[in-house]
Amino acid sequence: MTTDCTETGFGTREVRRARYAVAAVFTVHGAVTGSFATRVPWIQDHAGVSAGQLGIALAFPAIGASLAMPLAGTVSHRFGARTALRGLLAMWTLALILPALAPNLLTLCAALFVYGASAGMSDVAMNALGVEVENRLDKSIMSGLHGMWSVGALIGSAGGTVAAHVGADARLHHTVVALVLTLLGLIACQRVLDLRSEPDEEPPPRFALPPKSALIIGAVGFCAVFAEGASLDWSAVYLRDVLDSSAGLAAASTTAFALTMAIARIAGDRIVDRFGAVRTVRAGGVLATVGGVMVVTAPNAALAMSGFALMGLGIAVVVPLAFAAAGRSGPNPSQAIAGVATITYTSGLIAPSAIGSLAEATSLVVSFGVVSVLAFGLVLGAGVLRAGDRKPVAVPATAAASRPAAGPRP
């Protein structure tokens, strides 16, 4: 694909506007996740489910995303990238209302299934458009876009924390937030690239297996997301149980890790442009591995928190670069992106429970030793992200928004 904006039917100014529009879409998408996560305890109490039942229910977003993501390419092919994203993003923001309305386990599972399905389809659509904008600008923007997703998640979680603190009903809270985010999303979508399929282009199949290249790229993403999920969900527990830290200090570790990830992603594009995707991820893998070793050998909380911070820095840009590499890895970008997303969603789903199971059988120190080994996998596997260095490929201008997807963030 050529990166000359004029040759693809879009002027330079239009593509630059599209960049900021897609960034706004990523922010809106992240804000939904942050808003939901902070009210899970309220939703659990309202639905009257136990901790074990809640764990079952929280698997349904990933199940919904995995099953629905294959439809993203078909929707974009039929309606065009802009219209498709507008509709899919609105479905996602409005789906925020559903879990808080669920009165029991069955309805909660159904609500979270819809919530995850709409999240996954909009995720594929916005990442595909992000890759298209990056191609036309001929510079890295995917890390920054995912950084904006993290910013949105932080904003959403901050609002949710305030709502929870004042005892607001999550049904009212999520309804108001959903309506505001839907409006903001619709406004942002007005400026994204309006990619359309050629009139004689054959519609993509509804379901298709992801290409082999996506599976290999997804394996690298798996390592990064596993380390991310383990650190976010277990860093506070690690400091409390292993290093006997106070509850406040333990919680601060998780917040610091999330902030480190967001800052590193926002700043990551300049590093990627200078050093390339492969060297950036390889260096990040070294940092993450060193951070993991610091965690498992730390005699005190300060060193462990420094280790978690290094892990955050090291893995921050991996997933954005994995999506970028997938989008350039062959003639079916949306299919490849969805394949990578499937693997990363799966990693994020199993990481918390896998760490817990291993810790129960051995210890949390051993669990994070495994995380360190997976982090080193980034060093070994970075070469598969070479497609993320924005070498032009022969792909139709509409490809990233009109090809089939298979399987599934943020």
Side-chain angles (χ1 to χ4, degrees):
M1 177 186 296
T2 179
T3 55
D4 186 341
C5 298
T6 59
E7 292 182 19
T8 56
F10 298 101
T12 302
R13 184 177 298 178
E14 185 178 1
V15 175
R16 287 175 179 170
R17 285 200 302 261
R19 173 187 181 178
Y20 297 116
V22 173
V25 168
F26 271 76
T27 306
V28 168
H29 197 284
V32 176
T33 300
S35 299
F36 168 75
T38 54
R39 305 311 307 272
V40 169
W42 190 99
I43 292 171
Q44 178 185 6
D45 292 342
H46 178 70
V49 297
S50 66
Q53 291 173 325
L54 178 63
I56 294 172
L58 289 177
F60 276 79
I63 296 172
S66 299
L67 294 177
M69 274 186 169
L71 302 176
T74 301
V75 173
S76 292
H77 175 91
R78 180 172 181 179
F79 298 103
R82 180 186 294 170
T83 301
L85 180 61
R86 185 185 295 127
L88 294 174
L89 186 64
M91 286 176 57
W92 164 233
T93 54
L94 292 173
L96 175 63
I97 300 172
L98 300 178
L101 300 178
N104 53 51
L105 176 62
L106 182 61
T107 54
L108 180 59
C109 291
L112 290 175
F113 181 91
V114 175
Y115 173 86
S118 57
M121 289 191 291
S122 55
D123 196 333
V124 170
M126 70 186 191
N127 273 285
L129 277 170
V131 172
E132 285 291 310
V133 173
E134 184 175 90
N135 284 343
R136 287 164 169 76
L137 291 175
D138 195 26
K139 64 179 181 179
S140 178
I141 67 167
M142 289 300 291
S143 179
L145 292 180
H146 282 253
M148 293 308 297
W149 189 96
S150 297
V151 169
L154 287 170
I155 293 172
S157 62
T161 299
V162 172
H165 181 71
V166 300
D169 189 307
R171 291 169 294 188
L172 176 61
H173 166 218
H174 281 173
T175 297
V176 172
V177 171
L179 293 176
V180 171
L181 292 178
T182 299
L183 178 60
L184 294 176
L186 291 174
I187 293 172
C189 287
Q190 293 300 315
R191 294 290 187 177
V192 302
L193 296 179
D194 191 17
L195 304 176
R196 295 184 177 274
S197 305
E198 297 296 332
D200 59 346
E201 187 175 343
E202 185 177 343
R206 292 186 178 181
F207 294 92
L209 292 174
K212 182 180 179 180
S213 59
L215 298 178
I216 298 173
I217 293 169
V220 175
F222 181 95
C223 294
V225 174
F226 193 98
E228 179 181 354
S231 298
L232 283 173
D233 287 5
W234 286 94
S235 58
V237 178
Y238 189 95
L239 262 70
R240 184 194 65 191
D241 292 355
V242 177
L243 299 174
D244 198 27
S245 301
S246 66
L249 185 61
S253 176
T254 302
T255 302
F257 179 84
L259 283 171
T260 301
M261 289 278 294
I263 293 170
R265 282 178 170 173
I266 292 173
D269 288 319
R270 291 186 179 182
I271 298 173
V272 174
D273 278 332
R274 180 170 182 179
F275 298 105
V278 175
R279 284 192 289 176
T280 299
V281 171
R282 192 162 284 148
V286 172
L287 284 177
T289 303
V290 171
V293 172
M294 288 174 62
V295 168
V296 299
T297 59
N300 54 59
L303 192 60
M305 290 178 70
S306 299
F308 282 119
L310 277 182
M311 278 204 286
L313 286 174
I315 65 178
V317 302
V318 177
V319 171
L321 291 179
F323 280 122
R328 300 186 186 95
S329 64
N332 297 309
S334 185
Q335 178 185 347
I337 288 172
V340 169
T342 301
I343 297 171
T344 56
Y345 266 62
T346 301
S347 180
L349 176 64
I350 69 173
S353 59
I355 291 295
S357 298
L358 184 58
E360 187 174 353
T362 56
S363 69
L364 269 177
V365 174
V366 173
S367 295
F368 275 93
V370 173
V371 172
S372 302
V373 173
L374 288 175
F376 187 69
L378 300 176
V379 180
L380 302 178
V384 304
L385 301 182
R386 205 169 302 279
D389 285 328
R390 298 185 313 285
K391 295 180 180 178
V393 293
V395 183
T398 58
S402 62
R403 295 299 186 183
R409 155 241 215 167

